[in-house]
Amino acid sequence: MTIQFKDETFRGDFTYANSPSNIPRFPFPFPEDEYMYSTNIEPHHAARAGSPFENAFDVDEHYVAEMKDRALVLAEDPGRCQALPHMETAGWDFLELVMVSKARDYPDLFKLTMDGDRWHWINKPLQIDDTFTFGDSSTLPCHPMEYIGRQVQGDHAILDQRDGNLWMDAGIITAQADWSLDFDIGMNFFEWHAPVPLAHELGVFQRALKFLLTLPQGQPSRRLNWTLTVNPRLDTSPENYPKWGPDKLTVTPENIGEKIHLRVELQTFWRLPRSNAILFPIRTYLMAMNEVVTQPKWARRLHRVMRDLRPELVDYKGLSRYHPILVEWLSQFDDGAPTSPGIFPD
Amino acid sequence: MSASDHLIPVVVSNVVEVNPIIKRFEFKHVNGDELPAFSGGAHIVVEMLDDGTKRKNPYSLMSSPFERDQYAISVRRDDTGRGGSKFMHEQVTPGMQMKISAPVNLFALDLRARKHLMIAGGIGITPFIAQMTQADKLGVPFELHYAARSASQAAYMDSLADRFGDHVSCYCDDQGESVDFETLLSSQPLGTHVYVCGPKGMIERVVETATSLGWPAAHVHFEHFLAPPVGEPFEVHLAKAGIDITVGAEQSLLEAVEASGTPINCMCRGGACGQCETVVVACDGEIMHNDHWLDEEQRAAKQRIMPCVSRFRGKRLELDL
Amino acid sequence: MSESLIEESIISRPTYGALKIVPGLAHYFLADASGAECVIRVVQELPRDMMEKVHILYVPTPGETALITSLYALGANRFEHFPTIDDAVAKLGEWLSDAKMGSQLYLAGTEGLVGQGVAKGEACGLDHTAVQCEHRGSLARRVQCVHCKTMIEDVTTQPVKCPSCDLLLLVRDHYSRRLAAFQGGCINAEDPSEEIEIKEVFK
C-alpha cells in the first residue's frame, strides 16, 4: 500500500481536489433516493477493501495537508482544542486507540513499540519520532488528546459518561460544520444537539443516546452525516463564519460544479477502556459536485435527494441561498433511471 | 449486537479459597495476549457450560485496571441461587478454558469528584478494590468503609487495610461494629461522590440518608449485584421466530432465548443496562419485573420486559423476538 | 409561583422554577435586587433555629437600601452584600470552598446572576441539577460573541452589535451553563451589506 500524500490547501487558493482514483472510495451518504434523519448506526466493521470503512482510522491522500490545516487553525485559535480537567485519562485512551490501530493497519506509515509504559511512536508521513511514558503527560509536549489529535484526520470529541447521559467534556475540533466546542464543552447529549431541528421530536437523540450508553468495548459503531460546503474549506466553524459565509454568494450556475462540495462526516463511536468515555471521531470528506457526478448513480440520487429535501433541513444546513440552482444543475444528470440500493457506485 | 457475543477465550490461571464461602478466580488469555484495559467498577460476564446448560453471570473485576496480563473476580457461593456460583466453586479448576466478555462498566467513578467515598457490604467489596487502585494512581482522595458479618467472612479486609492504610475503615457485625451513615455523610467536602455496593438494605439506607441530608442524586451511585432469580418454569412464544420455548427453573428468560438460537441484544445480564428490553406482544398473566430499568408505569403496562432477570407466571406470554 | 416570562424554546435554554427550601446541612442564597423578595419569601418561613444554617449574598441596585435592611433582618448566620455580581459570585466561591456535601444553593434574580451562580456552584463541586433557581426581573441576556469571545452583559436587543469586534450578532437561544451565556453569532456574515433592524426584545 502506498499513498501519495497531496500538497494542497483548504483555504485561500483552495487547491484541494480528489485524485480520480480517490473518487470511488468517497463515503457517499445516501443509501436511497430520499433523505430524512435516522439514527442509521451500524457496526464499524472492516468493510470493502479500499473503502473508507476498511480500517479503524482511515488514512487517505489528504492526510498531511489536513494536519497542516489543523495546525493553522490551532495557532490562530487555541480554544478549538479543550479538555475539562477530568478528561486526561480519556486523552490517553484516545492516544492508545489511534496509535495501536494505525500501527496495525498502516505498518509502512506508522510504528509503535511498547516497552511497558515506555512507548516509542514513529509517524513517517508527519516525520514524528517520539518516546514517552504512557499515562505521564509531562513526557508529551501537550495534552495526550492534542498530541494524537494533531496526527489523525477528522475532529475528535470525547464524551464522558455519567448520570445516564453523555457529556461533551473534551475535543479537538478544527474542521467542524458550524458548531463551537468552546461554547458546547460541558454540555450533555441533548443540550449540544439542542439547535438541531426536527430530530428531537422524532426521538432520534433519545434512541441514539440509549444506544451509545451501552456501547461495548471493542465493538465500535459508525454512521454518516452530510451537508454542503462552498469551496473545499475544512474550517467552517461559527468562530470564522464571517470568513466563509460570504462564499455562499459566489455560487453561480456556471461555477457550481467546482464550488459546491458534498461534505460527509464519517462518525464513529468507540468505548474507551480506562475512562469509560466514548470517543467520537467526526471525519470529514469533501468532494466537488463535478467529482460526484462522475459516478452516474450518485449524480441521479443526489438530484433526487436535493430536490425533495424538507425545507427545515435546507434552512438548518445553510443551503438556502443556492439550493434552487443546485437542484436545477443536478437535474441534467438525472435521466429518471432507477438507482441500485446502497451507497457504493455501480 | 451484544457484549457477550464477542467472547474472549481465557484459561483459569488460579483459584484461591479466600474463605469458606468466597473463592477468587484468575483468568489469562489462552494465547497469552493482553486482556482489554478497563476502569474500576467494571464487570465481565463469565460463560459457564454446566452439563448442557449455558449460563452467563456477571462478576466485578477486582484486579488492577493497570495490569492486563490477568483478570481476577471473586465469587460468593450461593446454594439457593441458580447454580452459577455453585458451578464456579465446584467445577472450575486451574487450567480449565472458559469464555468471558469484554469489560463493561455500569458502576464507574465520577472522574470529576473531589473525593470518592466508597461503602461496601460483604462481597460488594469487589468493584471497590479496582476503583481504589484507580483512585490511588490518579491521586484523588478516597475512603472505603467496608462492613461484613464477621472478620472471617470479610474477604480481603486485612490486605486492603495493609495496602491502603488510613483510607480503609472496617466494621464487623459480630463485633457490634456498624457504619454511622449519618455522621459519615454529614462530614464530606463539597464535590464528594458516594458509591455503595452491597446488600439491598445497605444501599437503601445509604441512599435515604444521603437524600435526607441534601446530597444531590447525581453524587450518589450504587450497584445492585443482581443475579437472575430462580422461579417456576414457564412457557414463552417468540413471535418473530415463530417458536415456543420453555424457561427452566434455574434458567433466565434471556438464557432460554439464547439457547433457542434467537437473536437478542444484551449486556449486563443483571437488569441494569436496558439493552435486552423486549416488546411484549401479548400477556395473559403476571410479569415478575426484577429489573432496575423499567419504571413503575412501564411495569404496570406489561408492554416491556427485561428478559435477563424478569420472569412470568400465567397463561400466555408472547414476545417480539 | 414563578413570575418568569420565559417562552418554551430549545433544550439547552434553561428554564427556572420557584425557590423552595429542601433538606440540607447548610443553605446558601445569592440574589440581586429583582430576586431579593424570593429569598425573603422562603427564608422568613424557616424556624429560628435553622437560621444558623442560612448564608445570604446580595447584589443591590446602586443606592437602594430597603431590601438590604429586610434581608439583614432575616437573621442569617452570614449576610453580605456586594456592588457587582462578579464580587458576590467570587464570595460565593469562597464560602463554598469550605462547604460540606448537603449544602443547598438557591439563586434568584436576573438570568446573568442565576447563570453565574450555577457555574460557580458547579466549579465548586455542586452539580447543577441540585441548584434551585428562580428567575425574576429583566430578560436581558448575557451573550458570548462566538467570533471574538467577548462576553456582552445585559443584552436587550436582537441583533446586538459586539462592542469588541463590531459584528452584528444574532442572539440565539443556545445556552452554555459553563459560560453562563447565550451564543451570539454574526447575523449577516453571508452578505455584510444586508441591513438588519435592531429591535428591543429582551426586556
Side-chain angles (χ1 to χ4, degrees):
Chain A
M1 180 189 348
T2 49
I3 303 174
Q4 290 296 314
F5 296 111
K6 299 184 70 177
D7 184 10
E8 58 192 356
T9 57
F10 300 87
R11 55 182 70 207
D13 54 359
F14 294 111
T15 59
Y16 171 93
N18 287 291
S19 305
S21 63
N22 205 51
I23 291 176
R25 77 187 298 283
F26 186 78
F28 189 74
F30 306 110
E32 42 196 31
D33 288 356
E34 59 185 329
Y35 171 78
M36 190 46 204
Y37 285 130
S38 65
T39 318
N40 68 325
I41 299 177
E42 61 180 334
H44 187 41
H45 292 155
R48 205 161 164 131
S51 82
F53 314 118
E54 183 182 4
N55 294 312
F57 294 86
D58 181 41
V59 176
D60 68 9
E61 63 181 3
H62 308 298
Y63 176 52
V64 174
E66 283 186 33
M67 293 302 97
K68 277 188 192 158
D69 195 69
R70 165 153 302 155
L72 291 173
V73 174
L74 290 175
E76 269 178 24
D77 183 0
R80 301 293 192 89
C81 176
Q82 293 189 46
L84 297 183
H86 60 283
M87 298 301 281
E88 190 166 308
T89 300
W92 284 108
D93 276 335
F94 169 33
L95 175 144
E96 178 192 41
L97 178 62
V98 172
M99 287 188 180
V100 169
S101 303
K102 286 193 164 186
R104 178 193 62 219
D105 297 340
Y106 301 93
D108 53 332
L109 302 178
F110 306 95
K111 188 167 175 231
L112 178 64
T113 316
M114 300 166 167
D115 176 13
D117 286 344
R118 203 68 193 146
W119 290 23
H120 180 201
W121 168 245
I122 299 174
N123 177 335
K124 288 182 193 162
L126 297 183
Q127 296 172 312
I128 292 169
D129 184 330
D130 282 337
T131 302
F132 60 90
T133 303
F134 185 82
D136 179 355
S137 291
S138 71
T139 62
L140 287 179
C142 54
H143 195 285
M145 175 184 72
E146 179 176 349
Y147 179 79
I148 199 63
R150 285 175 177 270
Q151 301 182 49
V152 56
Q153 284 166 278
D155 285 349
H156 289 79
I158 310 183
L159 318 178
D160 193 27
Q161 179 160 336
R162 53 177 199 269
D163 306 331
N165 214 322
L166 294 171
W167 303 80
M168 172 81 71
D169 285 348
I172 176 163
I173 308 292
T174 63
Q176 68 267 51
D178 207 10
W179 65 280
S180 168
L181 173 72
D182 181 56
F183 195 79
D184 288 358
I185 192 168
M187 291 188 189
N188 71 34
F189 193 75
F190 297 117
E191 290 167 345
W192 88 69
H193 284 118
V196 182
L198 300 175
H200 292 272
E201 292 78 356
L202 293 169
V204 168
F205 295 124
Q206 285 86 341
R207 282 197 298 278
L209 176 64
K210 191 171 170 183
F211 174 83
L212 291 172
L213 289 174
T214 55
L215 183 71
Q217 194 171 326
Q219 295 174 53
S221 293
R222 65 167 171 254
R223 68 183 287 264
L224 296 173
N225 193 18
W226 68 276
T227 188
L228 301 178
T229 300
V230 179
N231 294 327
R233 189 190 291 273
L234 283 173
D235 177 15
T236 52
S237 60
E239 279 82 356
N240 282 333
Y241 186 32
K243 292 182 186 163
W244 57 267
D247 291 356
K248 295 189 187 184
L249 293 182
T250 65
V251 178
T252 64
E254 292 69 42
N255 67 16
I256 204 162
E258 61 190 84
K259 277 275 179 194
I260 295 189
H261 287 69
L262 182 54
R263 181 187 189 102
V264 175
E265 294 176 353
L266 169 56
Q267 304 180 345
T268 53
F269 307 92
W270 306 77
R271 172 71 62 193
L272 296 177
R274 295 170 187 80
S275 56
N276 202 40
I278 286 181
L279 176 69
F280 178 27
I282 309 159
R283 168 69 182 277
T284 293
Y285 294 82
L286 290 165
M287 191 153 73
M289 286 296 134
N290 281 339
E291 295 169 346
V292 175
V293 300
T294 61
Q295 311 299 315
K297 168 180 166 181
W298 290 354
R300 289 186 188 104
R301 180 166 293 166
L302 190 59
H303 170 247
R304 295 166 199 177
V305 167
M306 288 300 153
R307 181 191 62 202
D308 302 334
L309 197 61
R310 301 258 300 251
E312 297 94 323
L313 294 181
V314 171
D315 185 50
Y316 171 65
K317 289 181 184 281
L319 320 179
S320 308
R321 288 192 190 267
Y322 51 76
H323 180 254
I325 57 171
L326 174 64
V327 173
E328 173 62 28
W329 185 81
L330 283 169
S331 68
Q332 67 184 300
F333 304 101
D334 187 358
D335 54 8
T339 55
S340 61
I343 64 172
F344 296 106
D346 289 329
Chain B
M1 183 169 43
S2 156
S4 42
D5 286 347
H6 294 65
L7 296 179
I8 303 166
V10 292
V11 60
V12 179
S13 52
N14 201 5
V15 179
V16 178
E17 188 168 311
V18 179
N19 64 33
I21 53 165
I22 295 172
K23 278 188 177 179
R24 181 172 75 245
F25 299 86
E26 295 172 3
F27 303 109
K28 291 189 170 178
H29 197 286
V30 285
N31 302 331
D33 294 352
E34 283 198 320
L35 292 162
F38 65 97
S39 47
H43 69 261
I44 54 170
V45 171
V46 178
E47 182 183 271
M48 301 168 213
L49 301 175
D50 181 9
D51 197 21
T53 304
K54 190 188 277 185
R55 210 172 267 124
K56 293 176 177 177
N57 279 10
Y59 295 104
S60 296
L61 286 168
M62 56 175 285
S63 41
S64 164
F66 305 102
E67 310 269 329
R68 294 175 56 184
D69 56 334
Q70 68 170 26
Y71 284 165
I73 60 170
S74 282
V75 179
R76 183 183 192 278
R77 183 176 177 132
D78 177 5
D79 288 330
T80 63
R82 305 179 313 131
S85 66
K86 204 171 158 196
F87 175 83
M88 292 297 289
H89 272 250
E90 290 176 358
Q91 310 284 326
V92 176
T93 52
M96 196 169 143
Q97 294 206 4
M98 298 184 82
K99 285 182 177 163
I100 61 171
S101 74
V104 171
N105 202 340
L106 300 173
F107 189 52
L109 294 176
D110 188 318
L111 297 176
R112 299 171 307 160
R114 305 289 174 84
K115 175 181 172 184
H116 303 292
L117 178 66
M118 305 166 185
I119 301 174
I123 192 66
I125 187 65
T126 52
F128 294 124
I129 300 176
Q131 288 187 338
M132 285 192 287
T133 308
Q134 186 183 353
D136 197 36
K137 175 136 180 186
L138 292 172
V140 182
F142 66 94
E143 258 174 45
L144 170 74
H145 296 263
Y146 177 16
R149 284 196 195 132
S150 65
S152 65
Q153 287 194 14
Y156 312 111
M157 208 175 242
D158 292 342
S159 64
L160 290 172
D162 284 349
R163 202 169 139 208
F164 295 110
D166 291 349
H167 293 286
V168 176
S169 305
C170 299
Y171 310 80
C172 293
D173 292 353
D174 66 347
Q175 303 289 310
E177 298 163 339
S178 61
V179 192
D180 178 352
F181 294 126
E182 176 105 15
T183 304
L184 184 63
L185 293 169
S186 298
S187 56
Q188 299 302 325
L190 207 58
T192 302
H193 283 252
V194 64
Y195 309 83
V196 53
C197 182
K200 199 171 166 216
M202 180 190 231
I203 293 172
E204 283 170 4
R205 270 190 297 144
V206 170
V207 173
E208 277 166 22
T209 308
T211 307
S212 69
L213 291 171
W215 282 59
H219 287 243
V220 182
H221 312 265
F222 47 89
E223 178 159 70
H224 293 279
F225 45 103
L226 187 65
V230 296
E232 295 297 312
F234 59 98
E235 305 281 323
V236 183
H237 179 71
L238 306 183
K240 282 188 199 148
I243 55 171
D244 293 299
I245 59 169
T246 303
V247 182
E250 292 181 347
Q251 193 180 29
S252 71
L253 170 54
L254 174 63
E255 286 166 350
V257 171
E258 287 173 335
S260 76
T262 309
I264 180 166
N265 290 331
C266 69
M267 192 166 78
C268 77
R269 311 184 79 90
C273 78
Q275 272 287 301
C276 70
E277 181 175 331
T278 298
V279 170
V280 175
V281 180
C283 173
D284 181 2
E286 183 197 350
I287 296 175
M288 283 92 100
H289 292 287
N290 295 312
D291 60 274
H292 301 298
W293 179 256
L294 300 176
D295 61 30
E296 285 308 318
E297 205 175 308
Q298 288 173 310
R299 287 167 189 230
K302 293 190 193 177
Q303 288 167 356
R304 292 278 193 282
I305 187 170
M306 310 306 294
C308 62
V309 290
S310 298
R311 304 184 72 87
F312 173 73
R313 183 166 50 207
K315 284 193 178 146
R316 183 173 174 80
L317 178 66
E318 193 174 327
L319 302 180
D320 185 30
L321 286 171
Chain C
M1 273 307 249
S2 173
E3 294 175 15
S4 182
L5 299 170
I6 291 161
E7 289 170 20
E8 198 172 316
S9 174
I10 61 173
I11 288 167
S12 58
R13 198 256 180 273
T15 54
Y16 307 97
L19 299 190
K20 189 166 168 272
I21 301 288
V22 291
L25 295 175
H27 304 269
Y28 294 88
F29 292 84
L30 168 64
D32 58 19
S34 46
E37 63 171 284
C38 307
V39 177
I40 295 167
R41 185 188 79 228
V42 294
V43 173
Q44 69 187 6
E45 296 293 316
L46 292 174
R48 292 305 304 171
D49 61 351
M50 257 190 77
M51 294 311 293
E52 187 59 28
K53 296 179 175 179
V54 173
H55 311 267
I56 301 173
L57 289 166
Y58 180 54
V59 185
T61 46
E64 166 262 295
T65 56
L67 287 167
I68 295 179
T69 309
S70 306
L71 287 163
Y72 179 76
L74 292 169
N77 180 321
R78 285 186 285 189
F79 171 67
E80 292 188 40
H81 57 91
F82 293 89
T84 68
I85 293 177
D86 279 358
D87 293 340
V89 167
K91 186 52 124 182
L92 177 67
E94 274 178 42
W95 284 3
L96 291 180
S97 68
D98 299 328
K100 298 271 184 272
M101 286 305 292
S103 299
Q104 303 296 347
L105 177 59
Y106 306 84
L107 306 166
T110 53
E111 269 197 291
L113 172 126
V114 169
Q116 289 170 79
V118 170
K120 179 57 79 179
E122 202 140 58
C124 294
L126 190 60
D127 199 85
H128 71 273
T129 54
V131 181
Q132 291 207 38
C133 306
E134 182 162 342
H135 173 253
R136 289 297 178 99
S138 136
L139 286 168
R141 292 184 172 191
R142 194 161 183 260
V143 176
Q144 189 208 34
C145 171
V146 75
H147 310 294
C148 72
K149 308 297 179 184
T150 298
M151 209 56 91
I152 316 167
E153 304 286 346
D154 293 322
V155 171
T156 58
T157 64
Q158 179 72 287
V160 62
K161 190 165 200 171
C162 175
S164 184
C165 68
D166 275 350
L167 289 169
L168 205 51
L169 307 178
L170 172 72
V171 179
R172 301 172 75 197
D173 281 351
H174 197 35
Y175 180 86
S176 162
R177 203 165 35 244
R178 189 184 64 95
L179 299 171
F182 291 90
Q183 189 173 51
C186 187
I187 195 168
N188 56 354
E190 296 178 11
D191 180 3
S193 68
E194 213 176 316
E195 294 281 341
I196 291 150
E197 190 189 350
I198 298 181
K199 288 184 185 160
E200 192 90 9
V201 294
F202 308 117
K203 291 175 201 163

